[in-house]
Amino acid sequence: MFGLGWGDEGKGKVVDLLCPAFDIVVRFNGGANAGHTVCVGSETFALHLLPTGVLHDTAVGVIGPGVVVDPISLLAEIDTLAGRGVEVAGRLKISERAHLVLAYHKIEDQLSERAAGAEGKIGTTARGIGPCYADKMRRTTAVRFADLSGDKELTPRIRRIVEAKKASFAAMYGEDGGLSSQAVLDDLAQVAERLRSHVCDTTRFLHEAIESGKSLLFEGANGILLDIDHGTYPFVTSSSTGPHGIGPGAGVSPSLVTRLIGVSKAYATRVGAGPFVTELNDAVGERIRQRGREFGTTTGRPRRCGWFDAVTCRYSAQLSGATDLALLHLDTLSGLDEIGVCVAYRCDGQTVRSLPASVSRIERAEPIIEYLPGWQEELRGVRQFEDLPKNARDYVDRIEVLIGVPVTLIGVGPDRSQTLVRGTLRALVKSAEPVGSEK
Ligand code: IMP
Protein backbone atom coordinates (compact mmCIF):
# COMPACT_ATOMS: atom_id res chain seq x y z
CA MET A 1 0.00 0.00 0.00
CA PHE A 2 1.48 3.30 -1.07
CA GLY A 3 0.47 6.84 -2.01
CA LEU A 4 0.04 7.90 -5.62
CA GLY A 5 0.39 11.62 -4.96
CA TRP A 6 2.56 13.96 -2.89
CA GLY A 7 1.75 12.22 0.39
CA ASP A 8 -1.28 12.74 2.62
CA GLU A 9 -3.51 10.61 0.39
CA GLY A 10 -5.22 8.97 3.36
CA LYS A 11 -2.89 5.96 3.55
CA GLY A 12 -3.32 5.78 7.32
CA LYS A 13 -6.98 4.92 6.95
CA VAL A 14 -6.37 2.32 4.25
CA VAL A 15 -3.56 0.57 6.08
CA ASP A 16 -5.62 0.57 9.25
CA LEU A 17 -8.50 -1.12 7.39
CA LEU A 18 -6.16 -3.71 5.92
CA CYS A 19 -4.26 -4.44 9.16
CA PRO A 20 -6.64 -7.02 10.66
CA ALA A 21 -5.96 -9.29 7.67
CA PHE A 22 -2.19 -9.19 8.15
CA ASP A 23 0.23 -10.60 10.70
CA ILE A 24 3.00 -8.07 10.09
CA VAL A 25 2.96 -4.45 8.92
CA VAL A 26 6.26 -3.11 7.56
CA ARG A 27 7.50 0.44 7.05
CA PHE A 28 10.27 0.50 4.44
CA ASN A 29 10.97 4.15 3.61
CA GLY A 30 11.02 7.69 4.95
CA GLY A 31 11.00 8.64 8.59
CA ALA A 32 9.14 10.97 10.94
CA ASN A 33 8.23 13.15 7.93
CA ALA A 34 5.27 10.83 7.36
CA GLY A 35 2.01 11.51 9.09
CA HIS A 36 -0.68 8.90 9.20
CA THR A 37 -3.94 9.94 10.80
CA VAL A 38 -6.15 7.06 11.85
CA CYS A 39 -9.63 7.49 13.33
CA VAL A 40 -10.79 4.62 15.51
CA GLY A 41 -14.25 5.30 16.89
CA SER A 42 -14.03 8.65 18.65
CA GLU A 43 -10.23 8.42 18.94
CA THR A 44 -7.79 9.93 16.45
CA PHE A 45 -4.21 8.69 16.33
CA ALA A 46 -1.43 10.52 14.46
CA LEU A 47 1.52 8.24 13.72
CA HIS A 48 4.80 9.38 12.18
CA LEU A 49 7.27 6.54 12.52
CA LEU A 50 5.40 3.61 13.97
CA PRO A 51 3.80 1.28 11.46
CA THR A 52 0.02 1.70 11.65
CA GLY A 53 -0.24 -2.02 12.42
CA VAL A 54 0.74 -1.37 16.04
CA LEU A 55 -2.73 0.06 16.66
CA HIS A 56 -4.01 -3.53 16.22
CA ASP A 57 -2.81 -5.67 19.09
CA THR A 58 -2.58 -8.77 16.89
CA ALA A 59 -0.12 -7.26 14.41
CA VAL A 60 3.64 -6.90 14.65
CA GLY A 61 5.06 -3.62 13.34
CA VAL A 62 8.42 -3.62 11.60
CA ILE A 63 10.63 -0.63 10.84
CA GLY A 64 12.84 -1.81 8.00
CA PRO A 65 16.44 -0.98 7.04
CA GLY A 66 15.30 1.70 4.56
CA VAL A 67 13.63 3.87 7.20
CA VAL A 68 15.55 6.69 8.83
CA VAL A 69 14.56 6.69 12.47
CA ASP A 70 14.52 9.71 14.73
CA PRO A 71 14.74 7.68 17.95
CA ILE A 72 13.67 10.53 20.22
CA SER A 73 10.56 11.11 18.16
CA LEU A 74 9.93 7.34 18.10
CA LEU A 75 10.17 7.12 21.90
CA ALA A 76 7.73 10.04 22.23
CA GLU A 77 5.31 8.25 19.90
CA ILE A 78 5.61 5.00 21.87
CA ASP A 79 4.98 6.90 25.13
CA THR A 80 1.96 8.75 23.71
CA LEU A 81 0.41 5.48 22.57
CA ALA A 82 1.14 3.85 25.93
CA GLY A 83 -0.64 6.78 27.61
CA ARG A 84 -3.68 5.90 25.53
CA GLY A 85 -3.54 2.21 26.32
CA VAL A 86 -1.66 0.94 23.25
CA GLU A 87 1.45 -1.04 24.22
CA VAL A 88 4.02 -1.94 21.57
CA ALA A 89 6.24 -4.10 23.79
CA GLY A 90 6.94 -7.36 21.96
CA ARG A 91 5.17 -6.10 18.82
CA LEU A 92 7.65 -3.59 17.43
CA LYS A 93 10.82 -4.60 15.63
CA ILE A 94 13.40 -2.11 14.41
CA SER A 95 16.04 -3.10 11.88
CA GLU A 96 19.58 -2.99 13.20
CA ARG A 97 20.45 -1.78 9.69
CA ALA A 98 18.20 1.30 9.95
CA HIS A 99 19.94 4.67 10.18
CA LEU A 100 19.39 7.14 13.00
CA VAL A 101 18.24 10.71 12.52
CA LEU A 102 20.18 12.69 15.12
CA ALA A 103 20.00 16.28 16.38
CA TYR A 104 22.46 17.56 13.78
CA HIS A 105 20.34 16.22 10.91
CA LYS A 106 17.37 18.25 12.05
CA ILE A 107 19.53 21.34 12.57
CA GLU A 108 21.03 20.94 9.09
CA ASP A 109 17.56 20.56 7.57
CA GLN A 110 16.52 23.89 9.12
CA LEU A 111 19.76 25.74 8.34
CA SER A 112 19.79 24.58 4.75
CA GLU A 113 16.16 25.55 4.16
CA ARG A 114 16.71 28.94 5.76
CA ALA A 115 19.83 29.55 3.65
CA ALA A 116 18.00 28.54 0.46
CA GLY A 117 15.46 31.33 0.98
CA ALA A 118 11.89 31.49 -0.21
CA GLU A 119 12.82 30.81 -3.84
CA GLY A 120 15.21 27.92 -3.34
CA LYS A 121 13.83 25.97 -0.42
CA ILE A 122 12.24 22.54 -0.76
CA GLY A 123 9.70 23.14 1.99
CA THR A 124 10.82 20.10 3.96
CA THR A 125 9.20 18.88 7.16
CA ALA A 126 12.44 19.87 9.00
CA ARG A 127 12.63 16.34 10.44
CA GLY A 128 16.22 15.81 9.27
CA ILE A 129 15.24 13.32 6.57
CA GLY A 130 17.38 14.60 3.67
CA PRO A 131 20.54 15.14 5.77
CA CYS A 132 20.25 11.65 7.30
CA TYR A 133 19.85 9.93 3.92
CA ALA A 134 22.77 12.04 2.64
CA ASP A 135 24.96 10.75 5.51
CA LYS A 136 23.81 7.21 4.75
CA MET A 137 24.95 7.53 1.13
CA ARG A 138 28.17 9.28 2.18
CA ARG A 139 28.91 6.25 4.43
CA THR A 140 31.51 7.94 6.65
CA THR A 141 29.26 9.97 8.95
CA ALA A 142 26.27 7.69 9.47
CA VAL A 143 25.02 5.92 12.61
CA ARG A 144 22.92 2.75 12.47
CA PHE A 145 21.12 0.91 15.26
CA ALA A 146 23.71 -1.86 14.96
CA ASP A 147 26.35 0.66 16.10
CA LEU A 148 24.61 1.21 19.44
CA SER A 149 25.28 -2.20 20.90
CA GLY A 150 28.50 -1.85 22.83
CA ASP A 151 30.65 -0.38 20.07
CA LYS A 152 33.46 1.32 22.06
CA GLU A 153 34.35 3.31 18.99
CA LEU A 154 30.95 4.99 18.95
CA THR A 155 31.67 7.74 21.50
CA PRO A 156 34.84 9.09 19.84
CA ARG A 157 33.21 8.70 16.44
CA ILE A 158 30.16 10.74 17.49
CA ARG A 159 32.47 13.44 18.87
CA ARG A 160 34.34 13.54 15.56
CA ILE A 161 31.12 13.65 13.53
CA VAL A 162 29.65 16.45 15.65
CA GLU A 163 32.85 18.53 15.39
CA ALA A 164 32.88 18.02 11.62
CA LYS A 165 29.20 18.98 11.37
CA LYS A 166 29.77 22.13 13.44
CA ALA A 167 32.65 23.19 11.20
CA SER A 168 30.70 22.48 8.06
CA PHE A 169 27.59 24.34 9.32
CA ALA A 170 29.74 27.32 10.32
CA ALA A 171 31.36 27.38 6.88
CA MET A 172 28.14 26.92 4.94
CA TYR A 173 25.58 28.76 7.05
CA GLY A 174 27.65 31.08 9.27
CA GLU A 175 26.65 29.34 12.53
CA ASP A 176 27.33 25.96 14.08
CA GLY A 177 23.73 25.31 15.08
CA GLY A 178 24.51 25.20 18.83
CA LEU A 179 25.46 21.53 18.56
CA SER A 180 26.86 19.61 21.49
CA SER A 181 28.38 16.15 21.14
CA GLN A 182 27.49 15.39 24.77
CA ALA A 183 23.80 16.10 24.06
CA VAL A 184 23.91 13.70 21.09
CA LEU A 185 25.65 11.05 23.20
CA ASP A 186 23.08 11.47 25.98
CA ASP A 187 20.29 10.98 23.44
CA LEU A 188 21.99 7.85 22.14
CA ALA A 189 22.45 6.41 25.64
CA GLN A 190 18.74 6.84 26.34
CA VAL A 191 17.84 5.36 22.96
CA ALA A 192 20.13 2.36 23.30
CA GLU A 193 18.62 1.56 26.67
CA ARG A 194 14.95 2.01 25.81
CA LEU A 195 14.88 0.63 22.26
CA ARG A 196 17.31 -2.28 22.79
CA SER A 197 14.60 -4.90 23.06
CA HIS A 198 13.09 -3.82 19.73
CA VAL A 199 16.26 -3.79 17.63
CA CYS A 200 16.94 -6.97 15.65
CA ASP A 201 17.65 -8.40 12.22
CA THR A 202 14.24 -7.60 10.74
CA THR A 203 15.28 -8.96 7.34
CA ARG A 204 15.74 -12.44 8.81
CA PHE A 205 12.58 -12.03 10.87
CA LEU A 206 10.56 -11.19 7.74
CA HIS A 207 11.97 -14.09 5.71
CA GLU A 208 11.26 -16.56 8.51
CA ALA A 209 7.75 -15.14 8.76
CA ILE A 210 7.22 -15.54 5.00
CA GLU A 211 8.47 -19.14 5.16
CA SER A 212 6.05 -19.93 7.95
CA GLY A 213 3.12 -18.58 5.93
CA LYS A 214 2.61 -15.25 7.67
CA SER A 215 1.06 -12.38 5.71
CA LEU A 216 2.89 -9.08 5.32
CA LEU A 217 1.57 -5.61 4.54
CA PHE A 218 4.08 -3.03 3.34
CA GLU A 219 3.11 0.46 4.37
CA GLY A 220 4.56 3.10 2.03
CA ALA A 221 5.17 6.54 3.49
CA ASN A 222 5.07 9.89 1.66
CA GLY A 223 3.90 9.40 -1.97
CA ILE A 224 5.21 8.43 -5.40
CA LEU A 225 5.33 12.03 -6.63
CA LEU A 226 7.79 12.64 -3.77
CA ASP A 227 9.99 9.70 -4.82
CA ILE A 228 13.69 10.55 -5.01
CA ASP A 229 14.04 9.11 -8.54
CA HIS A 230 10.58 9.44 -10.04
CA GLY A 231 8.97 12.40 -8.27
CA THR A 232 8.93 16.10 -9.07
CA TYR A 233 12.65 16.41 -8.33
CA PRO A 234 14.09 18.34 -6.50
CA PHE A 235 10.82 18.95 -4.66
CA VAL A 236 10.77 15.41 -3.36
CA THR A 237 11.75 13.50 -0.25
CA SER A 238 14.96 11.47 -0.08
CA SER A 239 13.70 7.88 -0.27
CA SER A 240 12.03 5.43 -2.66
CA THR A 241 8.38 5.90 -1.83
CA GLY A 242 6.74 3.35 -4.14
CA PRO A 243 6.74 -0.45 -4.12
CA HIS A 244 10.16 -0.38 -5.78
CA GLY A 245 11.41 0.73 -2.33
CA ILE A 246 10.32 -2.54 -0.71
CA GLY A 247 13.39 -4.45 -1.96
CA PRO A 248 16.06 -2.22 -0.47
CA GLY A 249 13.89 -0.77 2.29
CA ALA A 250 12.58 -4.00 3.78
CA GLY A 251 14.97 -6.61 2.40
CA VAL A 252 12.11 -8.48 0.73
CA SER A 253 12.02 -9.14 -3.01
CA PRO A 254 9.23 -7.28 -4.87
CA SER A 255 8.54 -10.60 -6.64
CA LEU A 256 6.89 -11.78 -3.42
CA VAL A 257 4.40 -8.91 -3.42
CA THR A 258 1.05 -9.99 -4.83
CA ARG A 259 -1.18 -6.94 -4.59
CA LEU A 260 -0.34 -3.26 -4.98
CA ILE A 261 -2.88 -0.84 -3.59
CA GLY A 262 -2.32 2.74 -4.71
CA VAL A 263 -4.02 5.41 -2.63
CA SER A 264 -5.22 8.76 -3.91
CA LYS A 265 -7.69 11.36 -2.81
CA ALA A 266 -10.63 12.27 -5.03
CA TYR A 267 -8.77 15.59 -5.49
CA ALA A 268 -5.11 16.55 -5.18
CA THR A 269 -3.09 18.08 -2.33
CA ARG A 270 0.52 19.00 -1.74
CA VAL A 271 2.52 20.48 1.13
CA GLY A 272 5.84 22.20 0.71
CA ALA A 273 7.15 23.81 -2.44
CA GLY A 274 7.11 22.46 -5.99
CA PRO A 275 4.92 22.37 -9.06
CA PHE A 276 1.22 21.58 -8.73
CA VAL A 277 -0.55 22.00 -12.06
CA THR A 278 -4.14 21.61 -10.83
CA GLU A 279 -3.75 23.83 -7.74
CA LEU A 280 -6.81 25.96 -6.94
CA ASN A 281 -5.90 29.28 -5.35
CA ASP A 282 -9.52 30.29 -5.00
CA ALA A 283 -12.66 29.74 -2.95
CA VAL A 284 -13.05 26.18 -4.26
CA GLY A 285 -9.52 25.30 -3.10
CA GLU A 286 -10.26 26.85 0.30
CA ARG A 287 -13.54 24.93 0.52
CA ILE A 288 -11.74 21.65 -0.16
CA ARG A 289 -9.08 22.53 2.45
CA GLN A 290 -11.69 23.24 5.13
CA ARG A 291 -14.06 20.35 4.35
CA GLY A 292 -11.19 17.89 3.96
CA ARG A 293 -9.30 19.22 7.04
CA GLU A 294 -6.28 19.62 4.83
CA PHE A 295 -3.65 20.61 7.37
CA GLY A 296 -0.43 18.61 7.77
CA THR A 297 -0.34 15.83 10.39
CA THR A 298 3.40 16.28 10.88
CA THR A 299 3.80 20.05 10.55
CA GLY A 300 0.25 21.47 10.77
CA ARG A 301 0.88 23.39 7.54
CA PRO A 302 -2.19 24.18 5.39
CA ARG A 303 -2.08 21.86 2.39
CA ARG A 304 -2.30 23.21 -1.13
CA CYS A 305 -5.46 21.83 -2.76
CA GLY A 306 -6.52 21.30 -6.38
CA TRP A 307 -8.49 19.17 -8.82
CA PHE A 308 -7.75 15.49 -9.33
CA ASP A 309 -4.81 15.20 -11.72
CA ALA A 310 -5.13 12.15 -13.96
CA VAL A 311 -1.73 12.89 -15.54
CA THR A 312 0.19 12.47 -12.28
CA CYS A 313 -2.07 9.71 -10.95
CA ARG A 314 -1.75 7.61 -14.14
CA TYR A 315 2.01 8.15 -14.06
CA SER A 316 2.23 6.95 -10.44
CA ALA A 317 -0.12 4.03 -11.05
CA GLN A 318 1.89 2.84 -14.05
CA LEU A 319 5.21 3.31 -12.30
CA SER A 320 4.10 1.28 -9.32
CA GLY A 321 2.10 -1.36 -11.19
CA ALA A 322 -0.93 -0.62 -9.02
CA THR A 323 -3.53 -3.40 -9.05
CA ASP A 324 -6.09 -1.40 -7.03
CA LEU A 325 -6.94 2.24 -6.67
CA ALA A 326 -8.21 3.41 -3.28
CA LEU A 327 -9.99 6.74 -3.75
CA LEU A 328 -10.47 8.65 -0.53
CA HIS A 329 -12.29 11.79 0.59
CA LEU A 330 -15.06 11.51 -2.00
CA ASP A 331 -17.35 13.08 0.63
CA THR A 332 -15.18 16.21 0.69
CA LEU A 333 -16.36 17.07 -2.84
CA SER A 334 -20.09 17.16 -1.94
CA GLY A 335 -21.80 20.48 -2.58
CA LEU A 336 -19.84 21.57 -5.65
CA ASP A 337 -21.80 22.37 -8.85
CA GLU A 338 -19.09 20.91 -11.02
CA ILE A 339 -15.86 19.04 -10.35
CA GLY A 340 -12.74 19.32 -12.47
CA VAL A 341 -10.49 16.47 -13.53
CA CYS A 342 -7.21 17.25 -15.27
CA VAL A 343 -6.94 14.92 -18.27
CA ALA A 344 -3.76 16.35 -19.86
CA TYR A 345 -1.41 19.34 -19.71
CA ARG A 346 -0.87 22.06 -22.27
CA CYS A 347 2.84 22.77 -22.20
CA ASP A 348 5.02 24.77 -24.63
CA GLY A 349 2.30 24.49 -27.30
CA GLN A 350 1.97 20.72 -26.92
CA THR A 351 -0.59 18.46 -25.28
CA VAL A 352 1.22 16.35 -22.68
CA ARG A 353 -0.25 13.19 -21.12
CA SER A 354 2.75 12.00 -19.12
CA LEU A 355 4.53 13.83 -16.32
CA PRO A 356 7.53 15.80 -17.66
CA ALA A 357 10.84 15.32 -15.81
CA SER A 358 11.70 19.00 -15.73
CA VAL A 359 10.16 20.96 -12.90
CA SER A 360 10.24 24.19 -14.92
CA ARG A 361 8.35 22.41 -17.69
CA ILE A 362 5.71 21.22 -15.21
CA GLU A 363 5.53 24.75 -13.81
CA ARG A 364 4.79 26.11 -17.29
CA ALA A 365 2.06 23.53 -17.87
CA GLU A 366 -1.61 24.50 -17.92
CA PRO A 367 -4.15 21.87 -16.91
CA ILE A 368 -6.66 20.70 -19.50
CA ILE A 369 -9.70 20.25 -17.30
CA GLU A 370 -12.76 18.17 -17.98
CA TYR A 371 -15.69 19.28 -15.80
CA LEU A 372 -18.10 16.71 -14.47
CA PRO A 373 -21.40 17.55 -12.76
CA GLY A 374 -21.13 17.61 -8.97
CA TRP A 375 -23.60 16.38 -6.36
CA GLN A 376 -25.16 18.13 -3.38
CA GLU A 377 -25.81 15.13 -1.10
CA GLU A 378 -23.60 14.37 1.91
CA LEU A 379 -22.00 10.93 1.46
CA ARG A 380 -20.93 10.00 4.98
CA GLY A 381 -23.92 7.75 5.62
CA VAL A 382 -23.53 5.84 2.35
CA ARG A 383 -22.36 2.21 2.69
CA GLN A 384 -22.96 0.83 -0.81
CA PHE A 385 -21.42 2.03 -4.04
CA GLU A 386 -24.85 1.79 -5.69
CA ASP A 387 -26.27 4.19 -3.08
CA LEU A 388 -23.91 6.99 -4.04
CA PRO A 389 -25.56 9.80 -6.02
CA LYS A 390 -25.34 9.08 -9.75
CA ASN A 391 -22.93 11.98 -10.35
CA ALA A 392 -20.59 10.64 -7.65
CA ARG A 393 -20.64 7.17 -9.22
CA ASP A 394 -19.98 8.70 -12.65
CA TYR A 395 -17.06 10.65 -11.18
CA VAL A 396 -15.49 7.47 -9.76
CA ASP A 397 -16.11 5.61 -13.03
CA ARG A 398 -14.43 8.40 -15.01
CA ILE A 399 -11.34 8.30 -12.79
CA GLU A 400 -11.18 4.54 -13.16
CA VAL A 401 -11.19 4.86 -16.96
CA LEU A 402 -8.59 7.65 -16.95
CA ILE A 403 -6.19 5.78 -14.65
CA GLY A 404 -6.86 2.30 -15.98
CA VAL A 405 -6.93 0.70 -12.52
CA PRO A 406 -10.08 -0.55 -10.73
CA VAL A 407 -11.29 1.63 -7.88
CA THR A 408 -11.84 -1.01 -5.21
CA LEU A 409 -11.99 1.19 -2.13
CA ILE A 410 -13.78 4.52 -1.71
CA GLY A 411 -13.60 6.75 1.36
CA VAL A 412 -16.75 8.66 2.32
CA GLY A 413 -15.63 9.88 5.75
CA PRO A 414 -12.78 9.61 8.24
CA ASP A 415 -14.06 6.63 10.21
CA ARG A 416 -13.22 3.00 9.37
CA SER A 417 -16.91 2.33 8.76
CA GLN A 418 -17.15 5.12 6.19
CA THR A 419 -15.55 3.04 3.49
CA LEU A 420 -17.00 1.29 0.43
CA VAL A 421 -15.03 -1.81 -0.51
CA ARG A 422 -15.52 -3.60 -3.81
CA GLY A 423 -14.64 -6.93 -5.32
CA THR A 424 -11.84 -9.17 -4.08
CA LEU A 425 -10.46 -6.44 -1.83
CA ARG A 426 -13.34 -7.26 0.54
CA ALA A 427 -11.48 -10.36 1.65
CA LEU A 428 -8.68 -8.12 2.93
CA VAL A 429 -10.87 -5.52 4.63
CA LYS A 430 -12.48 -7.61 7.30
CA SER A 431 -13.67 -4.76 9.47
CA ALA A 432 -15.52 -2.87 6.75
CA GLU A 433 -19.03 -3.86 5.76
CA PRO A 434 -19.00 -5.99 2.61
CA VAL A 435 -20.56 -3.62 0.14
CA GLY A 436 -20.60 -2.38 -3.43
CA SER A 437 -20.51 -3.82 -6.88
CA GLU A 438 -18.12 -6.48 -8.12
CA LYS A 439 -14.75 -5.43 -9.45
P1 IMP B 1 11.31 15.99 3.72
O1 IMP B 1 10.82 14.59 3.47
O2 IMP B 1 11.03 16.47 5.11
O3 IMP B 1 12.74 16.19 3.30
O4 IMP B 1 10.47 16.97 2.77
C1 IMP B 1 10.57 16.96 1.37
C2 IMP B 1 9.22 17.25 0.73
O5 IMP B 1 8.38 16.13 0.94
C3 IMP B 1 8.48 18.44 1.33
O6 IMP B 1 7.71 19.07 0.32
C4 IMP B 1 7.56 17.81 2.35
O7 IMP B 1 6.45 18.61 2.64
C5 IMP B 1 7.18 16.55 1.61
N1 IMP B 1 6.77 15.42 2.43
C6 IMP B 1 7.58 14.52 3.04
N2 IMP B 1 6.83 13.60 3.67
C7 IMP B 1 5.56 13.88 3.43
C8 IMP B 1 4.31 13.25 3.79
O8 IMP B 1 4.24 12.20 4.43
N3 IMP B 1 3.20 13.90 3.35
C9 IMP B 1 3.24 15.02 2.60
N4 IMP B 1 4.37 15.61 2.24
C10 IMP B 1 5.52 15.06 2.65
Side-chain angles (χ1 to χ4, degrees):
M1 192 269 342
F2 48 90
L4 294 169
W6 285 288
D8 308 317
E9 299 89 351
K11 297 183 291 295
K13 174 172 173 167
V14 177
V15 76
D16 181 56
L17 281 163
L18 294 168
C19 276
F22 290 87
D23 301 305
I24 301 169
V25 182
V26 189
R27 279 267 323 251
F28 58 89
N29 77 295
N33 53 352
H36 290 171
T37 310
V38 182
C39 300
V40 185
S42 58
E43 296 240 51
T44 301
F45 295 89
L47 301 180
H48 300 286
L49 263 163
L50 285 169
T52 308
V54 298
L55 294 180
H56 296 259
D57 52 15
T58 52
V60 173
V62 170
I63 294 179
V67 180
V68 288
V69 181
D70 174 348
I72 301 297
S73 162
L74 180 63
L75 286 172
E77 215 166 296
I78 291 172
D79 290 344
T80 305
L81 282 195
R84 296 172 71 180
V86 181
E87 278 299 337
V88 299
R91 295 193 299 113
L92 172 66
K93 299 195 181 292
I94 304 168
S95 171
E96 56 195 2
R97 294 180 171 89
H99 286 244
L100 287 113
V101 177
L102 296 171
Y104 46 79
H105 294 126
K106 288 181 272 190
I107 291 171
E108 184 176 356
D109 208 347
Q110 287 157 22
L111 291 175
S112 123
E113 284 282 89
R114 202 184 311 150
E119 288 300 301
K121 70 176 185 178
I122 307 257
T124 71
T125 59
R127 297 298 192 267
I129 306 298
C132 184
Y133 277 116
D135 272 349
K136 170 177 173 170
M137 293 305 173
R138 193 178 290 120
R139 293 158 296 164
T140 50
T141 46
V143 181
R144 303 194 302 167
F145 277 97
D147 302 335
L148 300 187
S149 50
D151 180 353
K152 289 197 189 62
E153 264 305 293
L154 184 63
T155 299
R157 192 152 75 83
I158 289 289
R159 290 194 195 282
R160 279 198 304 275
I161 292 173
V162 170
E163 287 314 309
K165 293 280 178 195
K166 282 167 76 172
S168 125
F169 294 172
M172 287 181 77
Y173 309 116
E175 56 176 297
D176 69 9
L179 267 174
S180 135
S181 48
Q182 195 51 51
V184 175
L185 287 166
D186 290 348
D187 279 354
L188 286 176
Q190 186 203 160
V191 166
E193 173 65 24
R194 287 201 56 201
L195 292 179
R196 182 176 295 130
S197 61
H198 299 284
V199 177
C200 65
D201 183 348
T202 58
T203 308
R204 206 181 67 199
F205 170 77
L206 291 180
H207 284 281
E208 284 172 3
I210 293 167
E211 274 164 28
S212 65
K214 295 259 194 302
S215 53
L216 274 58
L217 173 64
F218 295 96
E219 176 179 342
N222 324 124
I224 290 187
L225 298 178
L226 290 173
D227 184 87
I228 185 72
D229 294 297
H230 304 284
T232 49
Y233 193 90
F235 300 102
V236 293
T237 190
S238 303
S239 66
S240 298
T241 55
H244 51 283
I246 293 172
V252 174
S253 166
S255 68
L256 297 172
V257 179
T258 52
R259 197 156 190 168
L260 295 152
I261 302 169
V263 185
S264 171
K265 280 180 190 152
Y267 48 90
T269 62
R270 169 160 214 176
V271 287
F276 183 1
V277 178
T278 64
E279 184 167 11
L280 292 165
N281 288 309
D282 60 9
V284 177
E286 187 54 34
R287 183 193 160 89
I288 292 174
R289 180 154 43 246
Q290 295 303 331
R291 272 186 68 94
R293 299 167 313 283
E294 294 296 354
F295 298 89
T297 313
T298 302
T299 59
R301 290 180 286 182
R303 296 178 184 142
R304 302 157 68 192
C305 298
W307 293 132
F308 183 87
D309 185 342
V311 175
T312 53
C313 190
R314 192 170 45 231
Y315 170 81
S316 299
Q318 283 174 344
L319 198 78
S320 54
T323 57
D324 296 70
L325 176 56
L327 196 66
L328 299 191
H329 274 266
L330 191 63
D331 57 301
T332 298
L333 296 178
S334 288
L336 294 169
D337 293 333
E338 53 181 17
I339 302 174
V341 173
C342 174
V343 292
Y345 298 162
R346 193 82 197 141
C347 186
D348 302 334
Q350 292 171 316
T351 301
V352 176
R353 291 185 194 281
S354 180
L355 187 68
S358 149
V359 161
S360 62
R361 190 136 194 259
I362 306 174
E363 268 159 359
R364 290 197 302 280
E366 295 284 330
I368 300 176
I369 304 277
E370 179 181 302
Y371 287 95
L372 283 85
W375 58 90
Q376 300 307 311
E377 298 89 334
E378 291 294 342
L379 307 184
R380 291 193 169 186
V382 175
R383 293 293 177 272
Q384 305 253 14
F385 182 74
E386 290 75 10
D387 292 341
L388 287 171
K390 179 175 181 309
N391 289 350
R393 277 184 277 132
D394 288 349
Y395 183 71
V396 173
D397 289 346
R398 182 70 185 129
I399 286 179
E400 192 170 84
V401 168
L402 286 168
I403 307 306
V405 176
V407 176
T408 52
L409 190 148
I410 299 162
V412 291
D415 195 71
R416 277 178 185 163
S417 64
Q418 292 165 323
T419 314
L420 320 183
V421 188
R422 305 163 88 191
T424 54
L425 196 65
R426 286 178 195 156
L428 293 181
V429 184
K430 293 178 180 163
S431 58
E433 292 169 38
V435 292
S437 58
E438 286 302 325
K439 276 279 149 196

